Amino acid sequence: MNSIWKYWQRLNIKSTELIGVAVGAFIYSMTYNYLLLPSHLGEGGAMGITALLYYAFGVPSYLSNLLINAVLIVVGYKLFEKKTTYLTIWAIAWMTVFLKIPVFYTYHTHELIVPTLLAGALTGISIGLIFRYNGTIAGDTIIGKILNYFFGISIGTGSLVFDLFIVIPFIMIIGFTNTVLTVIYLYVYSVFTNQFLANIGAKKAVLVVSPKYRQIAVTISKELDQEMTIFNGTGYYSDADQHMLYMIASPRRVTRLVPIIEREDKNALIVVENIRSARGLDMRRIL
């Protein structure tokens, strides 16, 4: 037992990650049970196969989702970091529990675009939350990884192809109209996932050029405990040496950084840029 605990500690899995992934799994499962199934909408990836089995043969969603993802995790085990793999298993375990909870209220409406858009938004937020805390829900993510590993196809493209491949059979089960709504749902969900990841946990790069760079660095370090790097450069026209500060910070921290820089040097050049990844080895986030 002690050796298992030490191994778990080496993975550096934080309690916030466990909670965040579990909350994401809860939102996703409730959206699936309370919006997608009652509205007879489809899904992509492993949950799409789960929905097909439910509509066609009445197979419980929690059971088919568990079995399908168990197979995918075994196949794609070596393609993920160990931490991501265990957080994915954690997510699937909670999804199994939440999907098994009985539905207490069935939502019905003739305006199917409403549950379509709402489900897309909630699914996007839930998946974004799971990704934010370094987990996945397996399914199309693993398929995308496998296609990327063997054929060089980007993970995003591989996942999309797999999703569309799964959506096609829904035409025979839920009809053409609901299949089109399913495609709309998948699009909304992807947009919300991207927006969630872009705004929650987003990072910005701050570049400062000033002759008072040392004074600015000392003040920022003292007041915010912010890490930074000093670069040496040369002005093209002046041919004079320039010193630059480079920092990676959250949007909230940037709102505190800029006033400090302006206080120390009102003429300082400040460049703030959005960045896609602050972890050079985390290619899953970049791709």
Side-chain angles (χ1 to χ4, degrees), residues 140 143-145 147-148 152-165 287:
D140 57 350
I143 296 298
K145 278 274 190 180
L147 292 175
N148 174 261
I153 301 173
S154 71
I155 295 174
T157 301
S159 298
L160 178 60
V161 170
F162 180 62
D163 283 343
L164 293 176
F165 179 77
L287 298 176

Side-chain angles (χ1 to χ4, degrees), residues 137-281:
I137 58 168
D140 57 350
T141 306
I142 292 181
I143 296 298
K145 278 274 190 180
I146 293 173
L147 292 175
N148 174 261
Y149 182 80
F150 287 104
F151 303 105
I153 301 173
S154 71
I155 295 174
T157 301
S159 298
L160 178 60
V161 170
F162 180 62
D163 283 343
L164 293 176
F165 179 77
I166 295 301
V167 166
I168 292 174
F170 277 107
I171 297 176
M172 297 179 289
I173 297 176
I174 61 177
F176 180 77
T177 300
N178 284 40
T179 302
V180 171
L181 289 172
T182 297
V183 174
I184 295 174
Y185 154 75
L186 290 173
Y187 174 75
V188 173
Y189 134 48
S190 66
V191 169
F192 267 80
T193 299
N194 291 334
Q195 284 299 314
F196 184 91
L197 292 174
N199 292 284
I200 305 298
K203 298 292 183 181
K204 292 182 179 291
V206 182
L207 179 68
V208 182
V209 181
S210 169
K212 299 180 180 180
Y213 73 95
R214 181 67 66 179
Q215 183 179 338
I216 294 172
V218 170
T219 304
I220 290 175
S221 179
K222 184 183 298 183
E223 294 188 16
L224 301 180
D225 195 28
Q226 170 70 41
E227 295 182 354
M228 67 197 83
T229 301
I230 298 176
F231 289 106
N232 296 322
T234 303
Y236 177 73
Y237 290 105
S238 65
D239 200 31
D241 291 337
Q242 299 280 359
H243 296 282
M244 299 171 286
L245 300 177
Y246 185 79
M247 294 162 276
I248 302 295
S250 65
R252 184 177 180 182
R253 173 158 287 194
V254 169
T255 61
R256 300 178 62 190
L257 279 170
V258 174
I260 292 175
I261 298 168
E262 292 178 335
R263 187 178 73 210
E264 298 296 332
D265 182 5
K266 63 179 181 180
N267 296 318
L269 173 63
I270 306 172
V271 180
V272 180
E273 294 182 308
N274 293 319
I275 57 176
R276 294 183 63 184
S277 176
R279 300 171 59 189
L281 296 180

Side-chain angles (χ1 to χ4, degrees), residues 7 71-82 85-86 89 142 146:
Y7 179 72
V71 173
L72 289 174
I73 289 173
V74 170
V75 173
Y77 177 80
K78 293 185 179 180
L79 301 180
F80 286 98
E81 296 177 356
K82 289 184 178 180
T85 300
Y86 286 115
I89 294 173
I142 292 181
I146 293 173

Side-chain angles (χ1 to χ4, degrees), residues 37-80:
L37 292 187
S39 302
H40 286 85
L41 295 175
E43 243 286 22
M47 286 303 293
I49 300 175
T50 294
L52 283 171
L53 293 174
Y54 176 81
Y55 289 138
F57 306 107
V59 179
S61 297
Y62 76 90
L63 181 60
S64 57
N65 180 62
L66 176 62
L67 295 176
I68 292 168
N69 280 311
V71 173
L72 289 174
I73 289 173
V74 170
V75 173
Y77 177 80
K78 293 185 179 180
L79 301 180
F80 286 98

